[in-house]
């Protein structure tokens, strides 16, 4: 009997000792990141049958259990992946928002100063100081375009560097998870089937850190290992094997990284949509959803300004009497051939209509018979069997070679607009402030008719007026004669347009718009028989400000966005969109941070170490240990008594 009591006491002593050790382990790891509270699971030892019935044999410790919930852990990881993505996006877009909204570093003040310089020229077109001031304000505007785009490019470079760093971190975590899987499988397959709790905690902490970089899901296997998959289903960790991600230049644009997946002979580029959550998902989302559109929008604004301003400048006349040349310089867009193309086609593009330009990039695919043009901002497609093709204010041409089936090109027409815009003239005298034609009436006219100052359109520079055109009114026929013998004349009377062949007389209609060879005039009043009206080159028109007024009018003209946006409108829209997105991400970041805190607190309340509870449990095991020792002491006393009786 004494022997049985001693055995029972020893099992109780060992159980209490194990409880004390486990509780002490909890207390010592209370501040260890990722540690889950442990507790012993004990059960009654198998009872021994006697004539008096079954008598217990004490207690046994079945296992040391980790207090852990897959459900709560998954909630924390999902919240962590979402929070890291949003924080990454918000941190970068805040920089863009601060840059664009800055009243001194933004574009609005220098754009206003640019047009103020034009207004100064309209006040005195012959003043060289005013003209030089206009060029200076233009330089300031161009430099601001360059400076903002440089900031965007710097942010882009930082994002690309962060993508590479994030990919390296993911690879490190994946290899460490695979190594821990191997250690856990080895530790738990030694015949005891006991969980390697501390190793599992280390693995779960690594998995949580991995979700800060990219959203993953984990599947727990029967051997104790876990398989880890990214959001799109690609395996990142399979048992003791791990995949490798590589950030490499895109085959269509070597300035932008894509992610390549490699594992056990499998090698392919991942789609951007396959990568979500975590810092890497946030970087990818920021680049495609915020940085690309805003840099394209700034580029479109610069190109739209250059094209529309140049078009009007061409319709003016400078101080030397020459028609205006380009005022701004811009670079034509070029389609980037995919590095995997098998054909030798060279595709280029040119700007045809600034008003129709979008802030999108385009993908061009050739299937062997047709070209398909995809506007990447909204997925709109257009198909053509041959080039050139007109699309969104662009003319896309095949400059040389031939495309092969499967060839692909990336067209970025406006991305570099702000970086490459420049000033095309250097001499203030080259500013075309005057109109190239002027009108007049013969001093001998006796009627009350008058002629407008005259204006020109985009077709005028191709056939400028060589000499004076004198129109004579015939009261008997009501006709005007004297138009150039080779010129077709159109007359717009209240919206009704009539065309008259070259050499034909034109009926007089007061207030009608008369056009020929890119020149437009109108006559009003009542002419007398033989009255004459002249249209001639504006020789010596150094004080003429008519084209300067038209240039100044571009400040409020709706020359972008399909006739819906002025330059200022386009910039304000860009600033507003970035501001709204920044505010949205700020609110979402705050909310997601609270969700992460709640999920973490819930998990900690379940799995974390509470020192007060552990102290109480330590006292409980201490008392159990002391009681078990007392039992063993009593068993020893009984045994001594038996020995004494035996003597």
């Amino acid at each position: 009997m004494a022997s049985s009591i001693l055995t029972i006491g020893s099992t109780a002593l060992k159980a209490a000792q194990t409880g004390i050790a486990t509780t002490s382990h909890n207390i010592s790891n209370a501040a260890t990141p990722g540690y889950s509270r442990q507790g012993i699971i004990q059960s009654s030892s198998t009872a021994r049958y006697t004539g008096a019935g079954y008598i217990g044999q004490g207690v046994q410790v079945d296992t040391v259990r980790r207090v852990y919930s897959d459900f709560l852990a998954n909630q924390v990881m999902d919240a962590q992946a979402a929070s890291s993505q949003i924080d990454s996006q918000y941190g970068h877009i805040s920089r863009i928002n601060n840059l664009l909204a800055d009243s001194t570093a933004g574009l609005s003040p220098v754009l206003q100063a640019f047009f103020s310089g034009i207004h100064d020229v309209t006040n005195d077109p012959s003043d060289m100081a005013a003209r030089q001031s206009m060029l200076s304000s233009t330089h300031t505007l161009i430099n601001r375009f360059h400076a903002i785009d440089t900031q965007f490019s710097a942010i882009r470079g930082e994002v690309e560097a962060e993508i590479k760093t994030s990919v390296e971190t993911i690879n490190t975590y994946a290899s460490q998870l695979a190594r821990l899987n191997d250690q856990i499988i080895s530790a738990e397959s030694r015949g005891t089937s006991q969980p390697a709790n501390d190793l599992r905690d280390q693995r779960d902490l690594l998995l949580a850190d991995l979700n800060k970089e990219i959203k993953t899901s984990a599947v727990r296997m029967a051997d104790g290992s876990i398989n880890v998959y990214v959001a799109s289903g690609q395996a990142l960790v399979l048992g003791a094997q791990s995949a490798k991600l590589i950030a490499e230049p895109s085959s269509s644009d070597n300035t932008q990284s894509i992610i390549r997946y490699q594992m056990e002979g499998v090698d392919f580029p991942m789609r951007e949509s396959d990568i979500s959550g975590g810092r890497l998902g946030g970087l990818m989302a920021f680049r495609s959803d915020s940085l690309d559109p805003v840099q394209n929008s700034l580029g479109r604004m610069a190109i739209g300004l250059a094209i529309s301003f140049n078009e009007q400048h061409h319709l003016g006349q400078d101080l030397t009497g020459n028609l205006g040349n380009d005022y701004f310089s811009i670079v034509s867009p070029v389609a980037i051939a995919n590095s995997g193309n098998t054909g030798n086609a060279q595709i280029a593009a040119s700007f045809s209509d600034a008003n129709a330009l979008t802030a999108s990039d385009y993908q061009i695919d050739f299937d062997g018979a047709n070209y398909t043009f995809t506007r990447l901002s909204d997925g709109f497609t257009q198909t053509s069997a041959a080039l050139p093709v007109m699309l969104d204010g662009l003319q896309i041409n095949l400059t040389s070679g031939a495309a092969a089936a499967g060839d692909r090109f990336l067209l970025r027409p406006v991305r570099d607009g702000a970086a490459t815009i420049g000033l095309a003239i250097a001499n203030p005298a080259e500013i075309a402030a005057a109109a190239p034609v002027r009108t007049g009436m013969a001093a001998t006219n006796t009627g009350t008719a008058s002629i407008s100052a005259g204006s020109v359109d985009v077709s005028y520079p191709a056939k400028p007026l060589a000499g004076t055109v004198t129109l004579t009114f015939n009261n008997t026929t009501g006709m005007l004669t004297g138009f150039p013998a080779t010129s077709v004349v159109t007359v717009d009377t209240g919206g009704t347009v009539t065309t008259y062949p070259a050499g034909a007389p034109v009926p007089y209609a007061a207030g009608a718009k008369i056009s020929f060879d890119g020149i437009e005039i109108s006559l009003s009043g009542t002419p007398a028989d033989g009255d004459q009206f002249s249209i001639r080159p504006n020789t010596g028109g150094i004080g003429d400000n008519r084209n300067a007024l038209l240039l100044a009018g571009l400040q409020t003209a709706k020359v972008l966005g399909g006739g819906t946006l002025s330059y200022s409108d386009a910039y304000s829209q860009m600033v507003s969109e970035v501001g709204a997105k920044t505010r949205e991400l700020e609110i979402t970041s705050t909310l997601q941070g609270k969700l992460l805190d709640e999920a973490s607190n819930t998990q900690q309340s379940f799995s974390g170490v509470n020192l007060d509870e552990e102290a109480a449990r330590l006292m409980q095991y201490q008392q159990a240990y002391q009681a078990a020792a007392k039992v063993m002491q009593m068993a020893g006393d009984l045994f001594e008594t038996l020995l004494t009786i035996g003597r």
Side-chain angles (χ1 to χ4, degrees):
M1 175 63 72
S3 174
S4 296
I5 295 173
L6 184 65
T7 300
I8 292 172
S10 68
T11 62
L13 191 70
K14 290 178 181 178
Q17 188 177 28
T18 302
I20 291 172
T22 302
T23 304
S24 300
H25 187 56
N26 287 339
I27 293 172
S28 62
N29 284 283
T32 301
Y35 179 80
S36 298
R37 175 168 52 91
Q38 299 177 11
I40 63 171
I41 302 299
Q42 62 188 47
S43 62
S44 176
S45 298
T46 303
R48 179 173 60 85
Y49 178 76
T50 67
Y54 287 94
I55 297 177
Q57 297 298 302
V59 67
Q60 64 184 22
V61 176
D62 297 324
T63 188
V64 178
R65 184 190 66 176
R66 185 172 64 133
V67 182
Y68 181 81
S69 167
D70 280 339
F71 174 75
L72 294 178
N74 288 337
Q75 277 193 324
V76 172
M77 286 191 295
D78 289 345
Q80 180 64 73
S83 182
S84 295
Q85 173 172 341
I86 294 169
D87 287 347
S88 178
Q89 285 182 267
Y90 175 60
H92 285 93
I93 199 173
S94 294
R95 296 175 59 189
I96 294 179
N97 184 56
N98 294 337
L99 174 64
L100 295 179
D102 192 314
S103 59
T104 57
L107 199 64
S108 294
V110 293
L111 187 63
Q112 178 62 45
F114 168 67
F115 280 103
S116 294
I118 300 174
H119 283 289
D120 290 341
V121 173
T122 65
N123 293 332
D124 188 355
S126 62
D127 184 5
M128 293 300 290
R131 287 170 170 262
Q132 185 60 58
S133 177
M134 177 177 166
L135 292 184
S136 296
S137 63
T138 305
H139 276 296
T140 302
L141 175 62
I142 290 171
N143 289 338
R144 187 61 54 85
F145 269 120
H146 292 173
I148 296 176
D149 187 82
T150 298
Q151 290 294 318
F152 289 165
S153 296
I155 293 173
R156 185 177 297 278
E158 292 173 14
V159 168
E160 294 299 327
E162 287 187 48
I163 288 174
K164 290 180 174 63
T165 300
S166 181
V167 167
E168 291 170 359
T169 303
I170 290 170
N171 289 336
T172 299
Y173 287 153
S175 63
Q176 290 176 348
L177 283 168
R179 186 165 59 252
L180 278 170
N181 268 344
D182 188 46
Q183 292 175 3
I184 290 170
I185 292 171
S186 176
E188 295 181 0
S189 63
R190 292 174 179 171
T192 62
S193 298
Q194 295 294 344
N197 292 325
D198 292 322
L199 289 176
R200 288 184 176 228
D201 279 343
Q202 293 176 33
R203 186 179 64 186
D204 289 335
L205 178 61
L206 271 176
L207 191 58
D209 288 339
L210 177 61
N211 273 269
K212 294 178 182 179
E213 299 297 328
I214 189 171
K215 179 177 174 57
T216 66
S217 59
V219 178
R220 301 187 181 274
M221 310 304 291
D223 61 2
S225 67
I226 60 171
N227 293 340
V228 182
Y229 303 88
V230 295
S232 56
Q234 282 85 21
L236 197 58
V237 178
L238 289 177
Q241 297 178 332
S242 62
K244 184 177 182 180
L245 302 184
I246 299 174
E248 64 179 19
S250 168
S251 59
S252 59
D253 179 10
N254 59 15
T255 67
Q256 181 165 297
S257 297
I258 61 166
I259 308 302
R260 178 171 289 278
Y261 175 91
Q262 293 180 343
M263 186 179 190
E264 288 294 307
V266 178
D267 188 339
F268 61 89
M270 298 176 68
R271 296 173 302 178
E272 199 162 300
S273 58
D274 292 339
I275 302 168
S276 65
R279 181 164 66 120
L280 182 59
L283 292 169
M284 292 290 194
F286 165 74
R287 187 178 66 182
S288 60
D289 297 343
S290 300
L291 182 57
D292 287 352
V294 75
Q295 193 166 18
N296 284 357
S297 294
L298 184 70
R300 181 188 69 163
M301 181 182 172
I303 290 170
L305 169 65
I307 292 175
S308 56
F309 200 89
N310 284 349
E311 287 176 349
Q312 187 58 57
H313 196 256
H314 292 166
L315 304 183
Q317 179 177 286
D318 64 20
L319 283 181
T320 63
N322 295 318
L323 289 176
N325 293 313
D326 281 350
Y327 187 83
F328 289 102
S329 61
I330 52 173
V331 176
S332 297
V334 177
I336 306 169
N338 191 290
S339 60
N341 287 0
T342 57
N344 61 353
Q346 296 293 321
I347 292 179
S350 59
F351 300 110
S352 61
D353 183 2
N355 214 338
L357 290 176
T358 72
S360 179
D361 298 334
Y362 298 83
Q363 182 174 294
I364 306 171
D365 294 283
F366 184 67
D367 62 7
N370 294 299
Y371 292 94
T372 298
F373 305 87
T374 303
R375 189 165 56 213
L376 297 181
S377 61
D378 58 8
F380 169 81
T381 60
Q382 179 176 317
T383 302
S384 175
L387 299 177
V389 164
M390 303 298 294
L391 174 64
D392 293 343
L394 301 168
Q395 179 172 310
I396 304 170
N397 306 290
L398 177 65
T399 57
S400 65
D407 283 359
R408 173 173 292 179
F409 302 84
L410 176 66
L411 178 61
R412 282 187 168 155
V414 296
R415 171 71 59 83
D416 298 325
T420 59
I421 186 173
L423 185 60
I425 65 174
N427 189 342
E430 294 178 359
I431 297 175
V437 298
R438 66 194 322 177
T439 59
M441 298 182 294
T444 57
N445 286 2
T446 58
T448 61
S450 60
I451 186 171
S452 65
S455 61
V456 297
D457 62 25
V458 293
S459 64
Y460 178 80
K463 190 179 179 181
L465 193 62
T468 301
V469 174
T470 302
L471 305 182
T472 304
F473 177 69
N474 187 312
N475 191 49
T476 303
T477 61
M479 296 287 187
L480 289 168
T481 58
F483 292 98
T486 58
S487 301
V488 175
V489 180
T490 60
V491 179
D492 183 346
T493 306
T496 301
V497 179
T498 306
T499 301
Y500 298 90
V506 176
Y508 174 80
K513 297 177 182 178
I514 303 172
S515 302
F516 66 95
D517 295 341
I519 301 171
E520 182 181 292
I521 60 166
S522 64
L523 297 170
S524 59
T526 304
D529 187 55
D531 281 359
Q532 293 184 329
F533 308 89
S534 62
I535 306 104
R536 61 184 183 277
N538 190 13
T539 305
I542 61 173
D544 187 351
N545 69 351
R546 283 177 291 161
N547 199 54
L549 289 171
L550 294 174
L551 291 172
L554 291 174
Q555 181 176 11
T556 57
K558 307 295 185 182
V559 295
L560 298 175
T564 62
L565 301 172
S566 66
Y567 308 132
S568 296
D569 293 338
Y571 185 72
S572 297
Q573 182 184 69
M574 181 173 64
V575 173
S576 177
E577 289 175 351
V578 171
K581 184 68 174 179
T582 303
R583 179 57 178 163
E584 174 190 342
L585 287 171
E586 180 183 16
I587 294 172
T588 308
S589 176
T590 301
L591 176 61
Q592 194 61 48
K594 291 181 179 179
L595 293 176
L596 175 59
D597 289 342
E598 290 176 3
S600 298
N601 291 337
T602 302
Q603 184 196 38
Q604 281 300 303
S605 67
F606 182 79
S607 300
V609 176
N610 185 308
L611 291 176
D612 291 335
E613 291 181 1
E614 297 303 318
R617 194 170 288 113
L618 191 63
M619 293 177 62
Q620 174 188 345
Y621 286 127
Q622 179 187 10
Q623 292 172 357
Y625 188 91
Q626 291 171 343
K630 193 68 176 178
V631 170
M632 294 181 68
Q633 180 185 1
M634 181 188 67
D637 292 344
L638 289 175
F639 189 71
E640 286 291 337
T641 300
L642 289 174
L643 290 176
T644 302
I645 293 173
R647 295 196 195 97

